Amino acid sequence: MTQQANKAEWVPIVAPILTELLGKVRFNEQGLISAIAQDDSRNVLMLAWMNREALAETLTTGRVCYYSRSRKTLWRKGESSGQVQHLLAATLDCDSDCLLLTVRQKGVACHTGRHSCFYNALTPTGLIELTEPDITPDALYGVKTSS
Amino acid sequence: MTQQANKAEWVPIVAPILTELLGKVRFNEQGLISAIAQDDSRNVLMLAWMNREALAETLTTGRVCYYSRSRKTLWRKGESSGQVQHLLAATLDCDSDCLLLTVRQKGVACHTGRHSCFYNALTPTGLIELTEPDITPDALYGVKTSS
């Protein structure tokens, strides 16, 4: 088995080891690294990006924090929806430019209300939605009313 | 369950559905999409990239073909090492900019000779290698002799 999730709580990684680990990560020319989140049932939930600050916060707190490329800011997963990710394990790949996070997902990972973001199957008859939302986006983020 | 791999052989996707599906993919400004490979035991093996041509070939043939960003060419996985990936299922994520491939991996996915590329655990005591190679890179790619 190559990925055994530690089911216990995350043990915070702090300086000087934190600095040592961050130094081993190959961030790209935008200062980012891709991060795959997989839950403790081994469903792949999503792919997102982290900058150095997001990764440091994630490893220190055990709560997954990404970097939003569209909003250009830290994205503390679940901050507005409550659907947080608790970190169980983190591994870096062979060329140090991708992370695999094992997480305990509270609720759903996808903004559409689905457990996983990967639900559109490419099939010989076209794109097929494999899953229905567990919860509506309105319930996740609150219904916006016109001002 | 959000990801149920079809254990049968891949059914080739051909025109006009192939064109329709490729049109739904959001390739980035370099014309690429990230692709996560997960084996049928649900180990995450690797992350790599595909351009439109690589994805079309993958969906048509059922043999996974990536795009090598360093070599700037199609990268038919296993072409030199024999460690091919047979496609079992492919799903697109909610914002259409990442693919999850379920594959039957022949041998090992990683160029280091490990089953998965994700073997460096980030821990409070530093980076720890979780797995040893199953096979040496020399055995995978052939020993290079000086000319």
Side-chain angles (χ1 to χ4, degrees):
Chain A
M1 299 291 286
T2 55
Q3 294 136 22
Q4 298 211 339
N6 175 8
K7 304 279 179 176
E9 292 305 305
W10 180 252
V11 178
I13 300 181
V14 292
I17 297 292
L18 180 65
T19 310
E20 180 192 313
L21 289 176
L22 291 171
K24 296 197 174 172
V25 171
R26 270 181 56 208
F27 295 99
N28 69 11
E29 56 280 8
Q30 284 90 43
L32 302 176
I33 183 169
S34 52
I36 302 163
Q38 182 177 32
D39 72 14
D40 41 4
S41 298
R42 316 189 93 202
N43 294 300
V44 175
L45 301 179
M46 57 185 286
L47 177 100
W49 295 81
M50 292 182 164
N51 63 3
R52 185 182 165 96
E53 190 181 351
L55 178 56
E57 179 170 317
T58 299
L59 296 177
T60 306
T61 65
R63 282 272 288 268
V64 179
C65 175
Y66 298 105
Y67 177 81
S68 167
R69 293 177 302 169
S70 56
R71 289 184 278 116
K72 299 186 195 312
T73 181
L74 291 184
W75 165 28
R76 294 181 177 90
K77 178 71 181 159
E79 198 170 30
S80 56
S81 66
Q83 315 291 287
V84 298
Q85 292 179 341
H86 293 279
L87 188 63
L88 300 173
T91 52
L92 190 61
D93 75 347
C94 53
D95 51 4
S96 307
D97 68 354
C98 184
L99 289 161
L100 177 63
L101 311 175
T102 310
V103 303
R104 192 182 311 124
Q105 174 69 54
K106 184 172 177 193
V108 298
C110 184
H111 75 286
T112 65
R114 291 171 175 87
H115 185 65
S116 163
C117 294
F118 296 95
Y119 59 85
N120 291 304
L122 283 67
T123 83
T125 56
L127 213 59
I128 293 179
E129 288 195 4
L130 296 175
T131 57
E132 291 292 318
D134 295 336
I135 183 172
T136 67
D138 282 352
L140 272 181
Y141 299 101
V143 181
K144 288 188 179 62
T145 55
S146 57
S147 58
Chain B
M1 300 292 287
T2 55
Q3 293 136 23
Q4 299 212 340
N6 175 6
K7 304 278 180 179
E9 293 305 304
W10 180 253
V11 178
I13 300 181
V14 291
I17 297 292
L18 181 66
T19 311
E20 179 192 314
L21 290 175
L22 292 172
K24 297 198 173 171
V25 171
R26 270 181 54 208
F27 295 98
N28 69 11
E29 55 280 9
Q30 284 89 43
L32 301 177
I33 183 167
S34 52
I36 301 163
Q38 182 178 32
D39 70 16
D40 41 5
S41 298
R42 315 188 95 202
N43 295 299
V44 175
L45 302 179
M46 58 185 284
L47 176 101
W49 295 81
M50 290 181 166
N51 62 3
R52 184 183 166 97
E53 191 181 351
L55 178 56
E57 179 170 317
T58 299
L59 296 176
T60 307
T61 65
R63 282 271 289 268
V64 179
C65 175
Y66 298 106
Y67 177 80
S68 166
R69 294 177 301 168
S70 55
R71 289 184 280 118
K72 300 189 193 312
T73 181
L74 291 183
W75 165 26
R76 294 180 177 91
K77 178 72 179 161
E79 198 170 28
S80 55
S81 67
Q83 314 292 287
V84 298
Q85 292 179 340
H86 293 280
L87 188 64
L88 300 174
T91 53
L92 191 59
D93 76 347
C94 53
D95 51 4
S96 307
D97 68 354
C98 185
L99 289 161
L100 177 63
L101 312 175
T102 310
V103 303
R104 192 184 311 125
Q105 174 69 54
K106 183 171 175 193
V108 298
C110 183
H111 75 288
T112 65
R114 291 171 174 87
H115 185 64
S116 164
C117 293
F118 296 94
Y119 59 83
N120 291 304
L122 283 67
T123 82
T125 56
L127 213 59
I128 293 179
E129 288 194 4
L130 296 175
T131 56
E132 292 291 318
D134 294 335
I135 183 172
T136 67
D138 281 353
L140 272 180
Y141 298 101
V143 181
K144 287 189 178 62
T145 55
S146 56
S147 57

